[in-house]
Amino acid sequence: MSSATNQITAGQFHAADGVDDWRCLYHLVSAHFPTGSLAQGVALVDEIGRLADESEQQIVNVDLRHAGVTVSLKRRDIALARRISAAAKELGLVADPAAVQLINVTLDALAGAEVLPFWRALLGYHQIGDDYLFDPANRGPGFGLQQMTAARPQRNRMHLDIAVPHDQAEARIAAALAAGGRLVSDAHAPKWWVLADAEGNEACVATWVGRA
């Protein structure tokens, strides 16, 4: 996770050639390759293991399922992304960029320094900086704090942040609105939009646009 710092911007990554399979999601870049069988997925993972050197393997996370392989890089590494895409192409696999996302749980807090240790212990997570926790086993969503300046007792204080590919955000928002949601605010769009369900429970749809 520390490799999220001192790297190229999301805009620079997406401007490069040969990375059309990949999408930036906060600090990660991810690609999903649908497969017809678990064996095909294993073959791709095996190729990634061969083409990535020891240092590169430390930034690669792989989620292998019967239906496909999702590969995430903890650094926006253009060269490695290109090599993985080339390996997938050799195996006849075509990426589905719309299939990637990253979910964080965000808690509004007045005294973050006092509440974060509780959540770190409860979740068994590790900490980055003063306001973010992550699952060291990469199984659960990230957990972050959002600083409040005053108590808001009538507002939900925990919400989901869903990072989606920048070219899928409007479709995801439209689907949520069609399913009974409402737009709370687009003041920060396209960095993020605030939506709510019929009872006012909020969630944010976020993209890399406007971020470092």
Side-chain angles (χ1 to χ4, degrees):
M1 298 290 291
S2 61
S3 58
T5 59
N6 300 321
Q7 62 171 320
I8 65 172
T9 67
Q12 289 171 325
F13 180 88
H14 278 294
D17 293 329
V19 295
D20 292 343
D21 293 343
W22 301 79
R23 295 294 184 273
C24 288
L25 304 172
Y26 293 142
H27 58 284
L28 299 178
V29 291
S30 296
H32 177 76
F33 300 95
T35 59
S37 68
L38 189 61
Q40 272 194 313
V42 170
L44 176 58
V45 175
D46 191 42
E47 284 299 313
I48 294 171
R50 281 199 286 266
L51 65 85
D53 64 29
E54 185 175 348
S55 63
E56 290 172 330
Q57 289 181 17
Q58 295 179 26
I59 69 165
V60 177
N61 286 334
V62 175
D63 185 321
L64 171 63
R65 310 288 176 99
H66 177 271
V69 177
T70 301
V71 187
S72 296
L73 308 181
K74 293 186 282 185
R75 184 176 68 237
R76 299 177 188 128
D77 190 319
I78 293 170
L80 180 56
R82 287 172 176 161
R83 296 205 306 274
I84 293 172
S85 288
K89 185 177 181 180
E90 284 293 318
L91 293 169
L93 302 178
V94 179
D96 179 7
V100 297
Q101 66 178 17
L102 179 65
I103 297 177
N104 285 332
V105 176
T106 304
L107 175 68
D108 293 341
L110 287 170
E114 296 178 20
V115 303
L116 197 63
F118 166 81
W119 290 101
R120 184 177 65 236
L122 182 67
L123 296 169
Y125 276 19
H126 291 180
Q127 184 169 339
I128 296 178
D130 298 327
D131 60 1
Y132 189 78
L133 304 175
F134 72 96
D135 181 357
N138 298 303
R139 293 171 300 194
F143 183 93
L145 296 182
Q146 183 168 283
Q147 182 64 45
M148 290 198 305
T149 56
R152 294 193 292 263
Q154 300 304 316
R155 179 186 171 189
N156 296 314
R157 292 181 60 181
M158 188 173 290
H159 67 273
L160 295 180
D161 288 325
I162 303 98
V164 301
H166 62 284
D167 50 359
Q168 299 296 319
E170 291 186 5
R172 184 69 66 91
I173 292 166
L177 297 179
R182 63 182 177 86
L183 179 66
V184 176
S185 174
D186 60 1
H188 300 281
K191 196 173 182 180
W192 78 82
W193 293 256
V194 183
L195 309 179
D197 66 15
E199 293 191 352
N201 302 298
E202 295 182 359
C204 294
V205 174
T207 76
W208 66 263
V209 181
R211 303 176 191 275

